[in-house]
């Protein structure tokens, strides 16, 4: 189950923050931030990226002021980093760094 929440900004838009399992096997969890016009559009942005089973139930873990600042200053409005936030000094990454396929393994030459 994902933990998340949202914060409505004075301009009417929202910032949604969710903690989800990492896409890879046994990699822990990631915190994802989305800036959108409303909550439904924020979740649609994540679903369009392939995160189909993403739902926001309640507002138990809303974004912190630092998270809101980070996502508002990013041109895509979609960021992630490892969760929990105990990782000292880890910066926010664009979402394509999380969802892009890793390097292909090299085949041994004959």
């Amino acid at each position: 189950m994902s933990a998340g929440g949202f914060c409505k900004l004075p301009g009417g838009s929202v910032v949604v923050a969710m903690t989800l399992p990492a896409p890879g096997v046994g990699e822990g969890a990631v915190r994802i931030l989305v800036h959108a016009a409303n909550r439904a559009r924020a979740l649609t942005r994540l679903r369009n990226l392939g995160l189909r089973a993403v739902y926001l139930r309640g507002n138990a873990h809303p974004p912190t002021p630092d998270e809101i600042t980070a996502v508002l200053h990013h041109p895509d409005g979609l960021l992630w980093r490892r969760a929990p936030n105990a990782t000292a000094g880890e910066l926010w990454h664009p979402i394509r760094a999380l969802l892009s396929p890793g390097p292909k393994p090299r085949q041994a030459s004959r």
Side-chain angles (χ1 to χ4, degrees), residues 37-98:
N38 56 45
R39 285 180 289 171
R41 286 192 182 178
L43 296 177
T44 299
R45 289 186 73 187
L46 291 174
R47 289 182 186 126
N48 288 342
L49 291 170
L51 301 171
R52 299 284 183 214
V54 174
Y55 296 97
L56 183 61
R57 303 196 193 279
N59 199 16
H61 300 282
T64 64
D66 290 337
E67 291 176 335
I68 293 170
T69 302
V71 76
L72 289 178
H73 284 90
H74 193 271
D76 292 339
L78 198 55
L79 300 172
W80 73 276
R81 75 173 168 191
R82 298 211 181 276
N85 293 340
T87 36
E90 183 180 6
L91 300 175
W92 290 96
H93 309 284
I95 197 71
R96 35 194 137 96
L98 177 67

Side-chain angles (χ1 to χ4, degrees), residues 2-44:
S2 64
F6 68 95
C7 180
K8 190 162 185 165
L9 301 176
S13 61
V14 297
V15 174
V16 173
M18 301 185 81
T19 303
L20 303 170
V25 177
E27 292 183 19
V30 293
R31 180 83 165 168
I32 297 178
L33 302 175
V34 184
H35 179 232
N38 56 45
R39 285 180 289 171
R41 286 192 182 178
L43 296 177
T44 299

